[in-house]
Amino acid sequence: MDKHSESVKERIEMGKERIEERKKNAYSFKRLFNAAFNLSADQADYEEIEDRIESGIVLRGTNMCILILAIFIASVGLNMNSTAVIIGAMLVSPLMGPIMGIGFSIANYDTNMLKRSATILFFEVIVALATSTVYFSLTPITTAGSELLARTSPAIWDVIIAVCGGLAGMIGTTRKEKSNILPGVAIATALMPPLCTAGYGLAMGNLRYFAGAMYLFSINGIFIAISTMLITVFLRLPSKNKANEETKKQMVKRVIIVAVVAVVPSLFLAANMVKDSVFDSNVANFVNQEFQFENTQVVKYSVDDEKKELKVAVIGTTLSSDTIHALEQKMNKYHINSLVLRVQQTEVKAGITPDELEKYVKTETSQLTAENEEEYQELQSQLISAKTDLAAYQEKELDVVSIREEITALYKEVKEVSAGYMKTPKTGVVEDNQEECNENIVIILEVDKKIMQSEMKKISDWLEKRLKVEQVLVYQNIDGVLYSEDYVDSTEETENKKNVETQQNGEMDSVNE
């Protein structure tokens, strides 16, 4: 009995010692590390996790309506270059569910869930592409903004974002308490905007935009699914489906192949992006460090990629050819010797300092604004004057078609008729800025055979009555020369003399009789 009591006392003492030891080591690195990275502490039951995944793999009217509306919202946001609207569209997007379902089903070897998730995702992608294509085909704004262009050139950083977003999304899904992680993941990984951008590419017939946007969507989808699978395996969630070692190896092999195929293009794109960024930085450093002159300042610079030229506009004292040559030699130091340096100089004989340049730019800007305002007012005045003249002209507009039809029907030698107004000074002498003028209607007849003077007079009288005016000037165009209605040539004069003589002879004969 005594021995039993002693053993109990010993165990109690040992327990107290352990408790004291734990209290002492409560803030040890090992315990802190365990507490910080232990994902099993607040993990939900497997059935609850599975129900959450299953709830995202559904195809019903509500989801499709939300998807179509989200696509329209994202398309408008991209079209108007509005970041806030795009973020709003991402928050209501239902695309995340099927993608996580694919990753979860791969980890659990659930082929039925995998097929269902893939089918629903494919259908949603087709609907999203169709909706965005219709929108961008109808919108009057077709210019690609910065938000849209940002979705056409994916790189390795998009892979990193997709992986981190997928890991965070699956960790949030497996917790006992629901969190707001999934909306954040939807915003970060951006599944909706790439599909809208792809729709823009289809609507505009731009295959490069379409391919770039679809590649970005594929990167996000693939690595969210892979991240979901990794978290499922890491947490050792029990699976209802069993697979042999060979099947597991084949599954891992396929996942690795898909991941590599998805990553490789993004690495090349990222390399080009870094290369371009470094090159631009080198150009900026060259201009900022080497174009340091006391009386000459850089106004602006730009790189012409097609001509391989670096254009630098300067103002102030003119740089000599030796100075420009020395600058060209220094380009090799900044690794931009592939460019040809073009210096555009605006000479200011006294030179110009940085402060003076800033003052000069402000002055020129204000003058330009004032000039633009004056030009605008002048254009407005000209527009009002033009509208007034047009209204007055429309009131006096001649029905040339009807006149042409009537004259050509009466005179077969007339092939074409032109009409208009001609102003002539009342004094008969043309003077500058003379305001008082006579405005007469002028009719020009294109003829292949001359019309007699008498007939021209008939035409003139008829037109005056027809147009209800006091005077109409009628000309006939013979071989490119205009003749008025009073013109009489030698042939017509001879014929008139013969007619007069014949008439006189007839009168004499009647008298004799």
Side-chain angles (χ1 to χ4, degrees):
M1 189 70 180
D2 292 337
K3 289 182 178 180
H4 178 69
S5 299
E6 288 178 2
S7 64
V8 171
K9 286 180 181 180
E10 287 177 3
R11 278 184 286 178
I12 292 172
E13 289 296 328
M14 289 176 63
K16 288 181 179 179
E17 288 176 4
R18 287 176 184 174
I19 291 171
E20 289 296 328
E21 188 177 350
R22 285 180 182 178
K23 285 181 180 180
K24 290 179 183 178
N25 297 327
Y27 297 101
S28 66
F29 179 77
K30 185 177 179 181
R31 284 185 174 278
L32 286 172
F33 187 85
N34 253 351
F37 296 98
N38 183 12
L39 296 178
S40 301
D42 59 341
Q43 181 180 314
D45 296 333
Y46 174 76
E47 289 75 13
E48 186 178 351
I49 296 171
E50 187 178 30
D51 289 341
R52 290 176 183 175
I53 297 293
E54 284 281 359
S55 65
I57 314 170
V58 289
L59 186 66
R60 53 174 177 254
T62 304
N63 275 15
M64 294 314 299
C65 287
I66 291 174
L67 174 65
I68 292 171
L69 293 173
I71 284 290
F72 270 118
I73 294 171
S75 298
V76 171
L78 290 169
N79 203 200
M80 303 306 295
N81 212 38
S82 173
T83 306
V85 176
I86 297 169
I87 291 173
M90 292 187 227
L91 289 172
V92 296
S93 169
L95 290 169
M96 185 70 72
I99 295 174
M100 294 185 71
I102 290 173
F104 188 76
S105 60
I106 291 173
N108 290 328
Y109 311 104
D110 189 340
T111 54
N112 289 329
M113 181 186 284
L114 177 61
K115 290 177 182 178
R116 185 155 43 91
S117 300
T119 303
I120 292 173
L121 179 63
F122 178 76
F123 184 76
E124 289 180 344
V125 168
I126 295 298
V127 170
L129 283 174
T131 304
S132 58
T133 302
V134 168
Y135 171 81
F136 284 110
S137 298
L138 298 176
T139 180
I141 303 173
T142 57
T143 306
S146 58
E147 288 289 345
L148 195 146
L149 292 173
R151 272 81 186 182
T152 59
S153 302
I156 188 64
W157 294 282
D158 295 293
V159 174
I160 296 170
I161 293 170
V163 170
C164 294
L167 293 173
M170 190 56 186
I171 289 172
T173 304
T174 57
R175 299 305 94 192
K176 288 179 181 179
E177 296 181 2
K178 288 187 177 181
S179 63
N180 59 351
I181 292 176
L182 283 180
V185 172
I187 294 171
T189 52
L191 294 167
M192 190 68 65
L195 287 178
C196 295
T197 304
Y200 173 84
L202 289 176
M204 298 295 113
N206 192 321
L207 294 180
R208 187 175 71 83
Y209 285 1
F210 173 77
M214 286 306 296
Y215 178 49
L216 176 57
F217 176 79
S218 300
I219 284 176
N220 290 335
I222 288 170
F223 285 97
I224 288 172
I226 291 175
S227 300
T228 303
M229 180 198 72
L230 291 175
I231 292 297
T232 305
V233 172
F234 177 77
L235 294 177
R236 296 181 181 179
L237 297 177
S239 174
K240 298 176 182 177
N241 304 284
K242 301 298 180 182
N244 54 41
E245 289 300 320
E246 184 63 27
T247 303
K248 291 180 180 179
K249 288 180 180 179
Q250 288 294 326
M251 187 71 75
V252 171
K253 184 178 179 181
R254 290 172 184 172
V255 170
I256 292 173
I257 291 172
V258 170
V260 170
V261 170
V263 166
V264 170
S266 69
L267 290 172
F268 285 105
L269 292 170
N272 289 332
M273 191 180 296
V274 171
K275 183 180 176 182
D276 292 341
S277 179
V278 170
F279 189 80
D280 292 341
S281 178
N282 290 341
V283 170
N285 290 335
F286 168 72
V287 174
N288 293 333
Q289 294 177 20
E290 301 301 334
F291 278 80
Q292 295 293 327
F293 303 101
E294 185 177 352
N295 295 318
T296 304
Q297 307 301 325
V298 175
V299 178
K300 66 175 182 177
Y301 67 91
S302 62
V303 176
D304 190 331
D305 293 323
E306 293 184 1
K307 296 181 179 180
K308 297 293 181 182
E309 291 180 348
L310 170 57
K311 298 178 181 179
V312 182
V314 297
I315 185 171
T317 305
T318 303
L319 301 178
S320 65
S321 57
D322 292 338
T323 303
I324 295 174
H325 181 69
L327 289 169
E328 290 173 343
Q329 297 299 318
K330 291 179 180 179
M331 292 175 73
N332 195 29
K333 171 185 171 184
Y334 294 88
H335 308 289
I336 57 171
N337 49 308
S338 59
L339 297 176
V340 177
L341 180 62
R342 302 289 185 202
V343 181
Q344 301 170 342
Q345 305 194 62
T346 301
E347 184 180 5
V348 178
K349 292 183 180 180
I352 189 167
T353 63
D355 293 337
E356 290 172 337
L357 174 63
E358 185 178 354
K359 183 179 179 182
Y360 170 79
V361 170
K362 287 181 179 179
T363 304
E364 288 297 313
T365 304
S366 61
Q367 287 180 355
L368 181 61
T369 305
E371 288 174 4
N372 287 344
E373 182 64 27
E374 290 177 3
E375 289 179 4
Y376 173 76
Q377 295 295 340
E378 184 179 350
L379 288 173
Q380 284 287 91
S381 300
Q382 291 176 0
L383 180 61
I384 293 171
S385 176
K387 286 182 177 179
T388 305
D389 292 342
L390 179 60
Y393 173 78
Q394 287 174 341
E395 289 179 0
K396 300 187 299 184
E397 190 174 4
L398 298 173
D399 188 1
V400 181
V401 176
S402 299
I403 294 172
R404 181 190 302 117
E405 290 176 352
E406 293 172 15
I407 292 179
T408 53
L410 294 171
Y411 298 92
K412 302 299 182 185
E413 55 266 50
V414 178
K415 302 302 178 184
E416 186 58 61
V417 177
S418 302
Y421 287 89
M422 180 174 69
K423 289 183 178 181
T424 55
K426 287 185 176 181
T427 58
V429 181
V430 178
E431 297 180 2
D432 293 338
N433 301 322
Q434 185 171 5
E435 295 181 357
E436 294 186 358
C437 295
N438 290 323
E439 190 173 53
N440 298 317
I441 296 175
V442 178
I443 305 293
I444 299 176
L445 309 177
E446 303 283 341
V447 297
D448 53 5
K449 182 181 177 183
K450 180 182 172 296
I451 300 175
M452 301 293 286
Q453 181 188 12
S454 58
E455 295 300 320
M456 287 285 288
K457 185 68 171 66
K458 288 179 182 179
I459 294 172
S460 176
D461 293 341
W462 169 73
L463 285 170
E464 288 172 1
K465 292 179 180 179
R466 168 79 164 70
L467 300 174
K468 297 178 181 179
V469 292
E470 293 182 359
Q471 185 181 16
V472 175
L473 302 178
V474 182
Y475 296 87
Q476 52 181 323
N477 186 351
I478 306 172
D479 296 329
V481 181
L482 295 180
Y483 298 95
S484 69
E485 59 185 85
D486 298 328
Y487 168 74
V488 181
D489 65 3
S490 58
T491 305
E492 185 176 352
E493 190 174 355
T494 303
E495 187 175 344
N496 289 338
K497 285 182 180 180
K498 288 180 179 180
N499 291 335
V500 171
E501 289 176 359
T502 303
Q503 186 178 0
Q504 289 176 349
N505 290 336
E507 291 176 354
M508 291 296 294
D509 291 340
S510 61
V511 169
N512 292 331
E513 289 177 359

